[in-house]
Each structure stands twice: as structure tokens, then as C-alpha cells.
Amino acid sequence: MGSNATSYKQMKEDFVSNLTGGSITEINYVTAVGPIAFILWSVLQSRQSFFKSYKPPSFLVDFLLNVVAPLLALTLYANTPLLLCGLFIVPAIFVYALPRNLPVSRKKPKLPPSAQSQKPSGALSVLSTKPFLTTYRGSMLVLTCLAILAVDFRLFPRRFAKVETWGTSLMDVGVGSFVFSAGIVAARPVLKERAEGRTTPLLQRILYSMRHSLPLLVLGVIRLISVKGLDYAEHVTEYGVHWNFFFTLGFLPPFVALFQSAVKIIPSYTALAILIGVLYQFVLESTNLKAFILVAPRTDLFSMNREGIFSFIGYLAIFLAGQDTGMFVLPRSINPRSGTSNSTQRITLLLTMAVWTLNWSILYFFSTHYKYGAGLDVSRRLANLPYILWIAAFNSAQLLACCAIETVFFPSFYNATDAKTEQEDYEIATSRVLRSFNRNGLAIFLLANLLTGLVNMTVPTLDVGPGATMGILVGYAAALTIVAVALDTWNISIKL
């Protein structure tokens, strides 16, 4: 019995080892399903107000479009993602062509002048919670949660699983995207600080960052103990013997707090991110560091966890690149000139995002092209310069797509004149499911890890057929979604 368990564990480890990934083009096609499905959601909402009265049928359609659609792209439609996109585009065109069916708003009794003057103005704040950012972060988290369980089944293509050393895959972009999106929202306290004209001392910043780090590091320790204690199958070359993704997330805040002081010398988080990436790549190429990370024997604690320790440098650069994106995405006005119309501000934002997407893509091209560039290969294991640039380009494009969809279908949000109207328009323009995932993102990600472990401990995933696999994955996705929406309904935010 013990030998059978050991052999099955080895089979599971082999199942996710020595993989070479797939093409970036295919990854882009598969991940395009999310935004395309959201176009159908947006058409249903903007033209028919389908989700305004959120009842069980609304929840079901919301779940199917924003959770099951990406799941199908990872599994049954993995070889034909463009066909799946077409299956969402066609009904979107049909619904858009139908006459608009907007609910009739009940007219409120007109208030006397004295009461109107006492009514609070609800002035708009400098920073706004933007629907497209919620959509981007929510959909990214949904895809990540789906992939971490789906990868253990044979229905999930091996080219989508994390590569061993060199190459690109869907799951490789997922890990980096998680860090990039965390960097975007990390720009909010920096922008707030600047708007208030104050500066937080370095020591205070580090102490504040440690409050965010501690829960993540505790989760990392718990995961380490549970994986070792339960003899759970693990892929050592991913992060090392003891390191895991929670440790990477946990160590980011204090290092970012330290590097924030460097912005006084290098006044751009992007420049800082590129500088870190270039210096790290130079050390990899000019010293024995690359060989040490890839082939050195694991003789002590440091060498046992070398992948996690050194890839942290690349993830730090990705976080800073995301933070720089947040610096122009989060403010209400990207153009500081007063008197600029809301439409002009939105067009300027779209153009800025498009330019940065192009910039990151060009840098990636020249870092990887063998004839016209440096000819470097992408490595998530090293989190090297091409990986950093790829993650920044991919996420900038995804963010641009979400912003464009919101701009087309929900222009009333960025034209709102008071805080109350803006909040109402925000709720109209965001999927309840994606909003719920985004609200308690880290807690849902932790739950996804726990459920993934539970499924793997109770189900022989390698022996499950396609039908049963889809049943398990849809049930798992439904459980995560119900918990996320329930927390949002009860107005519970779990801060980790």
C-alpha cells in the first residue's frame, strides 16, 4: 500500500515536471476568452439591464460568463479558443441589436430649496474605484484559481502547465500577473500620500509593510508544514524545497518600502523595475549564478531554496512595474490640467495604456529576438528579464482591453458628477462575481489552495475521465464563487 502511494505521488510529480510550455500567441487566444465573454456580459447589462436586479438567474448567467467560460477555454475548448470567442461574440451582437430595455426609474418627490441646500454634495475624491480595474483583477484571480486545480487533471493540456526552465505557458503568466496586479493597487497609498502633501518616514513605511507581510509569511509556513506533513506531491524546481508563493508575496512589501526611497533618485517605478531586471540579467549571464540556480546540488537551506530566493528579484521588478501602471490608472485625472472634459481624460488614459502596452511589447521583442535583439529565453523559474517584460506587456494589454470595454458600454461612470452617482454606476458596470473575487482576492486564493489540496487528497486526478473532470472543476468553481459572493453580500472584507 505504501509503495503504491509513493509511486502515485511520483506519477503526479512527473505529470507536472519537465514541461516546455506553448506559444505566446495561443496563450493570448485562451486568455482573450475572459474579456470577450465580458463583452457579452456588458451588452446584457448596458442594453437590457439584465444584472441590475440581481436574482438567481442573473447570478447563474454571471457565473457562466465570467467563471465557466474561462474554464472551458482551459479544458474542452483548449484547442479551439477562437471558436469559443465566436460563441460569445455572436449572441453579443444579437443582444446589442435588440431594442434597449432599461428599467423605468421611479421619480423621487422634488425636495424644497431648503432641503436641497442641506443635502451633502458628495464631492468626487482624487482616487476612484474603477470598474475596469475590478474586472481585470477579478478575472485574473478567477483564471488563477481555476488553473491551480485543473492542472492536476489530464484534460488540462500540458502546454498550459508551468514550464520546467525555459519557455512560456498559461500558468507561468498567471503567477506573474498576480504580482503585477498587486503592484497596481499598491500605488493607491502612494498617490494618496502625494495628494495630501505628506511623506511617511522610511522606518514607519517598513513597519507598516510588515503588518501586511506577517499574515502571508504565516500562510507560507502553514503551507510548508501541511505539504511536508501530508507528503503532498510537490514540484521542487518551481520555488525550491521549502519556499512557496506565499513567501514571495510576503517578502514583497518591505522590499518595496525600501525601494520607494530610491524613487527620489530614479523618479519612475518603471525605470527602477527595468534597472533591476537588466542588472539581474547581467549577473545571470556574466557569473555562475544561472548555473547555480539551475543545476547546483541542494546541500544547505540557501541552495535548497535558490529558485524562490533569486526569482524574488524578478517578482520585485514585476511588482514595481505594476505599481507604475497604478500611478496613472488609479487617479481620477490622468491629465492634471483643469477644465479637461471627462471624455478627453478617458481617451488620454486609453492612449497612455496603449503606449505602455506597446513599449513593454517592444522591449520584450528586443530582449528575446535572436536576430534583432539579445536572443534571451523566457524563464519563470529564474524570473529573468524577458519574463519580467512579458508579464508587464501581457497585463498592460489585458488592462487596456478591460478599460476599452468599460469605455464603450458604460460611459456614464467616468461622466459621474458626484460620489453617490459614481458608486451606483460602478456597481452597474461591474460583474457581481468578479467584484466579489476582487474584494477578498487573497482569502479566495487561499480557499482555492485548500480545496485543491482536498481534491488531490481524495480523488485520483490522473485517472479521472473528461466528464467527471468537468463535474469536479465546475463544482469547485461554483463553491469558490458562492463563498466570494456570500462574503460580498454580507459586506465582509477579509484582509490578509
Side-chain angles (χ1 to χ4, degrees):
M1 184 74 178
S3 61
N4 289 338
T6 304
S7 62
Y8 184 73
K9 178 190 173 186
Q10 188 60 50
M11 281 177 59
K12 296 197 77 167
E13 290 176 357
D14 293 341
F15 190 56
V16 294
S17 301
N18 302 312
L19 302 175
T20 55
S23 70
I24 287 180
T25 301
E26 184 183 35
I27 294 167
N28 291 338
Y29 288 158
V30 171
T31 53
V33 171
I36 295 293
F38 191 72
I39 288 177
L40 177 53
W41 185 96
S42 299
V43 171
L44 286 168
Q45 177 73 322
S46 62
R47 302 288 295 181
Q48 303 298 321
S49 300
F50 188 82
F51 303 98
K52 196 162 187 180
S53 177
Y54 206 76
K55 296 177 180 178
S58 308
F59 168 75
L60 179 61
V61 175
D62 197 358
F63 171 69
L64 290 174
L65 289 178
N66 293 304
V67 180
V68 175
L71 176 60
L72 291 173
L74 299 179
T75 51
L76 299 179
Y77 286 85
N79 296 323
T80 54
L82 293 182
L83 172 62
L84 185 59
C85 288
L87 293 177
F88 291 114
I89 285 291
V90 170
I93 295 171
F94 174 75
V95 174
Y96 190 82
L98 295 174
R100 296 189 74 176
N101 181 25
L102 300 180
V104 180
S105 57
R106 296 179 181 177
K107 290 186 177 181
K108 297 179 181 179
K110 191 174 180 180
L111 298 174
S114 59
Q116 287 180 12
S117 62
Q118 292 171 8
K119 189 178 178 181
S121 60
L124 295 170
S125 61
V126 176
L127 303 176
S128 65
T129 306
K130 300 189 175 180
F132 73 85
L133 186 56
T134 299
T135 301
Y136 154 76
R137 281 172 55 83
S139 58
M140 180 275 301
L141 187 64
V142 166
L143 200 62
T144 302
C145 291
L146 293 173
I148 62 175
L149 177 59
V151 69
D152 295 316
F153 293 88
R154 294 193 185 277
L155 187 60
F156 187 87
R158 292 302 88 196
R159 65 185 182 277
F160 289 175
K162 290 177 182 176
V163 301
E164 187 69 21
T165 303
W166 308 106
T168 56
S169 77
L170 184 73
M171 290 194 72
D172 286 334
V173 81
V175 178
S177 298
F178 202 100
V179 174
F180 188 93
S181 70
I184 292 175
V185 295
R188 185 173 288 274
V190 178
L191 288 165
K192 191 175 180 182
E193 196 175 274
R194 290 184 182 181
E196 294 171 356
R198 58 184 177 85
T199 304
T200 306
L202 176 60
L203 182 60
Q204 190 176 335
R205 280 205 309 270
I206 293 174
L207 291 174
Y208 178 77
S209 68
M210 289 304 296
R211 286 167 49 195
H212 292 275
S213 291
L214 195 57
L216 291 166
L217 295 175
V218 170
L219 289 175
V221 172
I222 292 172
R223 177 177 170 80
L224 170 63
I225 294 171
S226 59
V227 166
K228 300 300 181 184
L230 296 171
D231 198 28
Y232 191 74
E234 54 184 329
H235 192 191
V236 173
T237 58
E238 188 176 340
Y239 294 108
V241 177
H242 309 102
W243 197 280
N244 58 60
F245 189 50
F246 286 109
F247 287 134
T248 298
L249 293 176
F251 283 116
L252 278 171
F255 276 87
V256 170
L258 282 170
F259 275 92
Q260 197 169 321
S261 300
V263 177
K264 295 176 182 177
I265 304 169
I266 306 172
S268 165
Y269 289 109
T270 290
L272 196 57
I274 293 173
L275 179 62
I276 292 171
V278 169
L279 290 176
Y280 176 46
Q281 189 66 45
F282 176 77
V283 174
L284 286 172
E285 300 297 328
S286 60
T287 67
N288 294 326
L289 179 60
K290 188 195 297 183
F292 171 73
I293 297 172
L294 299 180
V295 298
R298 301 181 188 274
T299 56
D300 53 30
L301 190 63
F302 184 79
S303 60
M304 283 179 180
N305 298 286
R306 55 185 185 259
E307 289 93 347
I309 293 169
F310 286 103
S311 67
F312 177 81
I313 299 170
Y315 287 118
L316 175 61
I318 290 170
F319 188 96
L320 291 170
Q323 194 165 12
D324 195 75
T325 302
M327 296 299 284
F328 64 81
V329 165
L330 293 175
R332 182 174 305 283
S333 302
I334 188 170
N335 189 340
R337 289 183 301 174
S338 59
T340 308
S341 68
N342 293 331
S343 297
T344 304
Q345 291 283 359
R346 178 48 66 106
I347 292 169
T348 304
L349 175 61
L350 283 167
L351 289 174
T352 303
M353 293 169 73
V355 167
W356 273 110
T357 301
L358 183 62
N359 287 345
W360 288 118
S361 301
I362 291 171
L363 288 172
Y364 172 78
F365 174 82
F366 283 115
S367 72
T368 56
H369 200 279
Y370 284 95
K371 186 176 180 181
Y372 300 108
L376 299 170
D377 291 317
V378 175
S379 174
R380 188 260 324 142
R381 184 177 174 185
L382 297 172
N384 61 354
L385 179 63
Y387 180 72
I388 295 166
L389 298 174
W390 175 42
I391 295 301
F394 173 85
N395 283 275
S396 297
Q398 288 282 312
L399 204 55
L400 174 61
C402 293
C403 185
I405 293 168
E406 178 204 300
T407 303
V408 170
F409 293 105
F410 303 104
S412 59
F413 171 79
Y414 59 84
N415 286 314
T417 55
D418 62 85
K420 183 183 177 183
T421 304
E422 185 182 71
Q423 180 60 30
E424 290 172 353
D425 289 335
Y426 167 79
E427 291 176 1
I428 290 172
T430 51
S431 152
R432 180 72 176 273
V433 166
L434 296 182
R435 192 164 75 235
S436 301
F437 269 88
N438 177 62
R439 179 173 183 174
N440 288 294
L442 208 50
I444 298 300
F445 180 64
L446 176 60
L447 176 62
N449 275 269
L450 293 173
L451 290 178
T452 296
L454 180 63
V455 171
N456 275 277
M457 295 295 289
T458 56
V459 177
T461 56
L462 298 183
D463 303 327
V464 177
T469 295
M470 288 305 298
I472 293 169
L473 291 176
V474 171
Y476 159 81
L480 289 177
T481 305
I482 289 169
V483 170
V485 173
L487 290 173
D488 184 61
T489 302
W490 296 329
N491 198 28
I492 297 173
S493 295
I494 301 173
K495 300 297 181 184
L496 295 176

